[in-house]
Amino acid sequence: MPLRLLALRRMNNRLKLLIFSITALLCASVASCNNDELLIDETFVKSGSYAECKNTIPIELSTFRLDSVLTTNQNLIWLGRHRKPVIGDVCSESFMRVTEPSYYDWSQQEKYDSITIHLLHTGDYQGDTMKVMEIEVRRMAQPIRFSENEYVFSNLRTFRDSTTVGSFRYIPRPHSRPRLRYRLDDTFGREIWNFIKDHNHSAAGVREKDYEYFLGGIKLMCSDANNLMAFRADSFKIVLHTHVPLMHSSKRQRVITVARDMVTSPFPALQFNRIWTENMDLPYDRLKTRYLNVNEKEGGNHAVMFEGLGYYTRINFPSLYELMSQSNYSHVVKAKLRLYPERGSYDKWNFPKTFFLSVVNKGNVVLRNVTTSDFKPVLATLHYDNYDEYNVYYEADLTYYINQVLTSGSIDENEGLVLTWNPSMLPTDYNFMVFNGNSKPKYYSYLEIYSYYYDKVDR
């Protein structure tokens, strides 16, 4: 074959290969443009060229604390002490206003037998279950009363107790929910019995008033605790046992339970838990008001979520200034916030499924919820890796929020986001979690942004 004809045939094959390659690239480009996640703003439609870019944006985590957390009507009695990661020892005791003893006709022949306390352990505990829990029952020195306009108590509230009227020892067992029944001091039981005899024929209103000052309330606490346990508040009762001699079915029981508020609906129980920390001068100890923050560097590269004491994780985006300077020729098509919880700060079998996100100002006051473009709430959802116990994270789509900030014309440096617990969660573990900061070598929290950068000349 002549060399000239062979050269032309080779050139024809190369041309076909070039045309095929260009066609494949065009098809791939069209397919990428059809991706629903890559939403292009109308102002960039006329631009003829752009480049896709993915940036990992550093974020700054911090912890703040609400002044007080409502602990009334949780239906849980938390007792004991347990050391939490980062924040130190968490302690809890429980106060309750109690009812009058259930009424029976009093007989002159009736005799006192004993007095007992009853509780139901929920099975929830934290700490060393091989240690003995010494639980004390104390009598209040003043009535537990609500103020005129306040029908709830918080974790900061306390009342002065008087004397110990009994104690008992309990060793929790994993996955057990026993009903506990222990005997209290007979001196306390006879005082209640004498009160019933002295006021048995009085008017109901007088009896109630006198009884309120006689037994203003009950306090439960652990004198030497090694773990934190939960009991059901509606299972609490103190039972006075008596009998009438020479009488059929002579045994009688007068029951004292947690009082209920008859003003508010649906009549919550007048019981609350007082929670505090003994954290050995850790930086979180200075969080006395909601206006103070402990940033992740001060807190050991962590941020804390703890419902019992009102610790919340705040998220700031100091690098948004750089993105705003480029927003004239770029558009954010996807923004993903990823937060890694610290291993060991939460039970791996009981991770919260979601967190809510809200916008807060400098004083950590919630301004509004973070939403999508169709006004649905943005949730940080759990992603769990069954093969890597460290690769557990929460991810939230902040595309709409980030674009709102970048197109607003100015960035409020005092504005940030805050994680909040899902309201459907029960406070069975007081919902504690620690998040890794931005300085961790691996599995650190960050914001990932996908952008289209357009040519200024085309615009």
Side-chain angles (χ1 to χ4, degrees), residues 320-336:
L320 285 185
Y321 288 100
E322 300 176 10
L323 287 178
M324 190 170 187
S325 64
Q326 303 171 10
S327 61
N328 290 329
Y329 58 96
S330 69
H331 176 65
V332 174
V333 294
K334 199 69 174 177
K336 295 180 179 179

Side-chain angles (χ1 to χ4, degrees), residues 30 39 63 73 89 96 111 133 173 191 253 262 268 341 375 379 398 403 408 412 454:
V30 171
L39 304 176
T63 304
N73 204 32
D89 287 351
M96 59 204 72
K111 304 295 183 181
M133 301 288 290
R173 289 289 181 260
E191 282 188 40
Q253 294 183 354
M262 302 306 292
F375 303 106
L379 302 178
L398 298 183
N403 276 313
S408 63
D412 184 358
Y454 293 85

Side-chain angles (χ1 to χ4, degrees), residues 47-175:
S47 180
S49 61
Y50 64 87
E52 296 181 18
C53 184
K54 182 178 78 171
N55 292 321
T56 299
I57 307 299
I59 63 176
E60 184 179 88
L61 302 183
S62 59
T63 304
F64 71 91
R65 177 187 176 187
L66 296 181
D67 298 340
S68 60
V69 179
L70 301 183
T71 58
T72 307
N73 204 32
Q74 289 184 336
N75 200 30
L76 289 173
I77 296 172
W78 278 97
L79 301 177
R81 174 195 303 264
H82 177 56
R83 177 158 294 180
K84 293 282 192 182
V86 181
I87 65 172
D89 287 351
V90 175
C91 311
S92 182
E93 58 190 17
S94 187
F95 294 81
M96 59 204 72
R97 185 172 169 180
V98 293
T99 62
E100 292 181 76
S102 54
Y103 181 72
Y104 284 95
D105 289 334
W106 176 68
S107 171
Q108 292 286 347
Q109 291 77 30
E110 193 167 342
K111 304 295 183 181
Y112 168 83
D113 287 331
S114 64
I115 186 169
T116 56
I117 184 172
H118 300 246
L119 283 171
L120 174 62
H121 187 202
T122 65
D124 296 306
Y125 63 90
Q126 300 167 40
D128 187 358
T129 58
M130 299 305 295
K131 298 290 186 179
V132 178
M133 301 288 290
E134 186 80 25
I135 300 177
E136 290 188 22
V137 184
R138 293 194 175 185
R139 180 179 182 175
M140 304 308 301
Q142 63 186 45
I144 297 178
R145 286 182 170 179
F146 290 106
S147 65
E148 204 170 300
N149 299 317
E150 180 190 18
Y151 300 104
V152 291
F153 286 128
S154 72
N155 62 320
L156 300 181
R157 192 71 181 271
T158 185
F159 288 86
R160 185 166 58 89
D161 58 272
S162 179
T163 57
T164 300
V165 296
S167 63
F168 57 91
R169 309 183 87 189
Y170 171 61
I171 303 177
R173 289 289 181 260
H175 313 297

Side-chain angles (χ1 to χ4, degrees), residues 101-364:
S102 54
Y103 181 72
Y104 284 95
D105 289 334
W106 176 68
S107 171
Q108 292 286 347
Q109 291 77 30
E110 193 167 342
K111 304 295 183 181
Y112 168 83
D113 287 331
S114 64
I115 186 169
T116 56
I117 184 172
H118 300 246
L119 283 171
L120 174 62
H121 187 202
T122 65
D124 296 306
Y125 63 90
Q126 300 167 40
D128 187 358
T129 58
M130 299 305 295
K131 298 290 186 179
V132 178
M133 301 288 290
E134 186 80 25
I135 300 177
E136 290 188 22
V137 184
R138 293 194 175 185
R139 180 179 182 175
M140 304 308 301
Q142 63 186 45
I144 297 178
R145 286 182 170 179
F146 290 106
S147 65
E148 204 170 300
N149 299 317
E150 180 190 18
Y151 300 104
V152 291
F153 286 128
S154 72
N155 62 320
L156 300 181
R157 192 71 181 271
T158 185
F159 288 86
R160 185 166 58 89
D161 58 272
S162 179
T163 57
T164 300
V165 296
S167 63
F168 57 91
R169 309 183 87 189
Y170 171 61
I171 303 177
R173 289 289 181 260
H175 313 297
S176 64
R177 294 173 172 81
R179 291 187 177 274
L180 309 180
R181 180 177 181 269
Y182 295 95
R183 185 165 179 170
L184 300 179
D185 293 348
D186 286 332
T187 303
F188 176 57
R190 292 186 184 281
E191 282 188 40
I192 296 179
W193 174 233
N194 290 331
F195 173 84
I196 293 174
K197 291 195 297 183
D198 294 341
H199 296 82
N200 187 61
H201 303 291
S202 303
V206 176
R207 289 181 59 224
E208 181 179 353
K209 182 179 178 181
D210 291 344
Y211 181 77
E212 182 179 330
Y213 283 94
F214 166 72
L215 185 60
I218 294 293
K219 172 183 173 181
L220 299 179
M221 61 173 291
C222 290
S223 56
D224 184 19
N226 298 284
N227 59 32
L228 198 60
M229 297 184 302
F231 300 89
R232 288 190 54 167
D234 57 4
S235 72
F236 168 86
K237 59 182 178 181
I238 292 177
V239 182
L240 183 69
H241 303 269
T242 62
H243 75 282
V244 179
L246 304 176
M247 182 178 175
H248 180 67
S249 301
S250 63
K251 292 185 178 180
R252 295 183 176 182
Q253 294 183 354
R254 289 176 170 84
V255 181
I256 299 171
T257 60
V258 178
R260 291 188 173 271
D261 178 22
M262 302 306 292
V263 177
T264 61
S265 179
F267 312 132
L270 302 186
Q271 175 269 333
F272 69 101
N273 301 318
R274 175 177 172 255
I275 310 122
W276 71 98
T277 56
E278 296 177 358
N279 50 18
M280 302 163 292
D281 298 324
L282 293 173
Y284 300 101
D285 190 39
R286 65 181 174 88
L287 295 179
K288 303 300 183 183
T289 70
R290 69 190 310 160
Y291 302 102
L292 299 175
N293 289 33
V294 172
N295 62 47
E296 60 181 70
K297 294 179 181 178
E298 296 173 322
N301 199 36
H302 300 102
V304 178
M305 292 283 291
F306 182 40
E307 190 175 39
L309 280 174
Y311 286 122
Y312 286 92
T313 295
R314 178 180 172 124
I315 308 159
N316 284 83
F317 306 98
S319 300
L320 285 185
Y321 288 100
E322 300 176 10
L323 287 178
M324 190 170 187
S325 64
Q326 303 171 10
S327 61
N328 290 329
Y329 58 96
S330 69
H331 176 65
V332 174
V333 294
K334 199 69 174 177
K336 295 180 179 179
L337 174 67
R338 185 170 291 189
L339 301 170
Y340 282 90
E342 185 181 70
R343 180 176 175 267
S345 70
Y346 211 92
D347 180 5
K348 68 177 182 179
W349 304 112
N350 197 25
F351 270 101
K353 301 300 181 185
T354 57
F355 283 98
F356 283 92
L357 285 162
S358 302
V359 181
V360 290
N361 62 11
K362 183 179 180 180
N364 295 316

Side-chain angles (χ1 to χ4, degrees), residues 2-51:
L3 294 177
R4 188 185 187 94
L5 182 58
L6 182 60
L8 288 173
R9 186 171 292 179
R10 289 179 177 174
M11 186 179 298
N12 188 28
N13 290 338
R14 291 176 181 175
L15 183 60
K16 288 180 180 179
L17 181 60
L18 179 60
I19 293 174
F20 177 78
S21 301
I22 293 173
T23 304
L25 288 173
L26 287 174
C27 291
S29 177
V30 171
S32 65
C33 290
N34 289 331
N35 190 345
D36 292 337
E37 292 185 353
L38 304 181
L39 304 176
I40 304 175
D41 192 271
E42 293 180 357
T43 57
F44 299 116
V45 171
K46 295 180 181 180
S47 180
S49 61
Y50 64 87

